[in-house]
Amino acid sequence: MTEGQEIQMGQEADPEIVASMGLYPSESLQAYVQELGTELAATTERPDLPWTFRVLDDPLINAFALPGGYIYVTRGIMAHFESEAELAGVLGHEIGHVTARHSVNQISRAQLAQVGLGVGMILKPELQRFEALASVGMQLLFLKFSRDDEYQADELGVRYMGRGGYDPAQLSGVMAMLGQITSESGEGPPEWLSTHPNPANREGEIERMASEAEVTRDPPTVNRDGYLSLLDGMVYGENPREGFFEESAFYHPDMAFQIDFPQGWMTANSKTAVQAGTSEGDAVMAVSLAQGSSPAEALSEFLAQDGMEGGQPSNAPINGIPAASTGFRVTTSDGVVQGRVSFLNHGGTLLRFLGFAAASAWESQGGAIRSSLESFRPLTDRSKLDVEPARLRLVTVPRAMDLETFLEREGGLDRAGAVRNLNRLSGNASLAAGRVLKVPKGGTLPGGAP
Ligand SMILES: [Zn+2]
């Protein structure tokens, strides 16, 4: 693959990633990460790539790279860094995957194509199973680099930190954080941990490399205070304004609708679609944004797809919302799929509700899909419309105290686990006077945030 092809691959995938995960809406934070990343990249073996650094609006702890120099960090990982040097270390590691051309060997076009599935999803054979729907978003890009690749990216990350004047030993702090969160939740960021089940081993290795690295600034930069000040006010955890579940009921405050999914189905919400499916994967449904000037026009475009046989379209409104609906059958390479689709004009926004099943399962599942569709209605409950996300606040420990006393003062006893993880504390840690801690305040923490 030529460098031109690499760049093209990144350029094509970037808008899909931005559409499916969203950029964190802070121009200053985006500019800060872009500037820091660009400075680091300028010191590398490939300074002339179109280096692009983005903060994604995602609560999960992750960072990843695409060919051609596109690097992403989530707001989730940003919240967990304790200094600018740690951010520099993770950016350096991802830059290392690009400069060593790791990802080029690992990403196929098919995988990149998967990213955009939620955006313009049409019926595709691979979408007949819920697992495929659940993987919409970034799962498939969380590549499994080899152990050697990860080792090399750590080594390059340490080198680039040193060239940028950062203290390379700080990267081991990131490993300590990942280790703490992984051991508590049993889950970690896939890119960072898939080939390294034990971050502790990697931590020791990074410390060794850091002690040998050349650093261009004395003393080397850590910058804890400046970095933390950037996090004050940042959204923490899932943002319930983008939709949340209460059992099988789904509420979307920003778009002001609600829908009841069938009891017991698996559910998943993302920027571009809310989905549900049976655990057997024989029936799925999704609500997503649609293109078109009216429900009827969008429906006729849907029915024009290859292999599609539509039933009689109906223009009956759904709970007062203008709609165009029909049943359909479609023949795919994997067999016949039967389903129902509705396009709704909800306050000027065109939404598509799509439910389908293997033809053999339609008889048992079609009723549940249909009644779910008919439950779609405007959200008017103020208590749900007005939910807000939690946000990080910086709190200075006023005098020496233990963590429990601090949390009691801050009214954050229920967020003890999050406060420990965000600040690398364990148990009922002793806190020195004057220490600045990151504390999630306000809002609710739905969706099992740590
Ligand atoms: Zn990596």
Side-chain angles (χ1 to χ4, degrees), residues 63 93-94 97 102 143 145 149-151 153-154 191-193 195-196 202:
H93 171 102
E94 297 302 334
H97 280 307
H102 292 157
L143 306 170
F145 290 114
D149 281 357
E150 289 300 345
Y151 175 81
D154 283 346
E191 198 276 296
W192 279 71
L193 294 176
T195 52
H196 291 267
R202 210 164 150 195

Side-chain angles (χ1 to χ4, degrees), residues 74-200:
T74 58
R75 66 171 163 80
I77 201 167
M78 292 287 289
H80 286 81
F81 292 143
E82 281 276 85
S83 67
E84 181 171 285
E86 290 189 359
L87 169 62
V90 165
L91 294 179
H93 171 102
E94 297 302 334
I95 290 170
H97 280 307
V98 175
T99 56
R101 296 180 168 239
H102 292 157
S103 44
V104 176
N105 301 327
Q106 301 285 334
I107 302 182
S108 71
R109 278 187 174 276
Q111 284 174 317
L112 287 182
Q114 295 279 339
V115 177
L117 283 180
V119 186
M121 193 185 76
I122 318 166
L123 282 174
K124 290 189 179 177
E126 65 265 35
L127 292 183
Q128 289 174 31
R129 297 188 59 76
F130 182 69
E131 294 94 294
L133 276 179
S135 74
V136 169
M138 296 313 302
Q139 303 273 4
L140 291 172
L141 275 178
F142 295 146
L143 306 170
K144 289 184 171 58
F145 290 114
S146 73
R147 198 170 276 258
D148 284 350
D149 281 357
E150 289 300 345
Y151 175 81
Q152 194 187 13
D154 283 346
E155 198 173 24
L156 290 168
V158 163
R159 181 193 296 173
Y160 303 151
M161 286 175 87
R163 287 181 184 168
Y166 290 98
D167 174 10
Q170 301 301 314
L171 182 55
S172 67
V174 175
M175 289 298 147
M177 176 268 286
L178 296 177
Q180 177 174 351
I181 289 169
T182 307
S183 66
E184 277 171 23
S185 66
E187 281 174 30
E191 198 276 296
W192 279 71
L193 294 176
S194 58
T195 52
H196 291 267
N198 187 352

Side-chain angles (χ1 to χ4, degrees), residues 268-290:
N269 184 33
S270 70
K271 293 263 181 219
T272 51
V274 54
Q275 301 154 355
T278 61
S279 54
E280 296 78 24
D282 58 358
V284 297
M285 61 182 78
V287 181
S288 56
L289 288 170

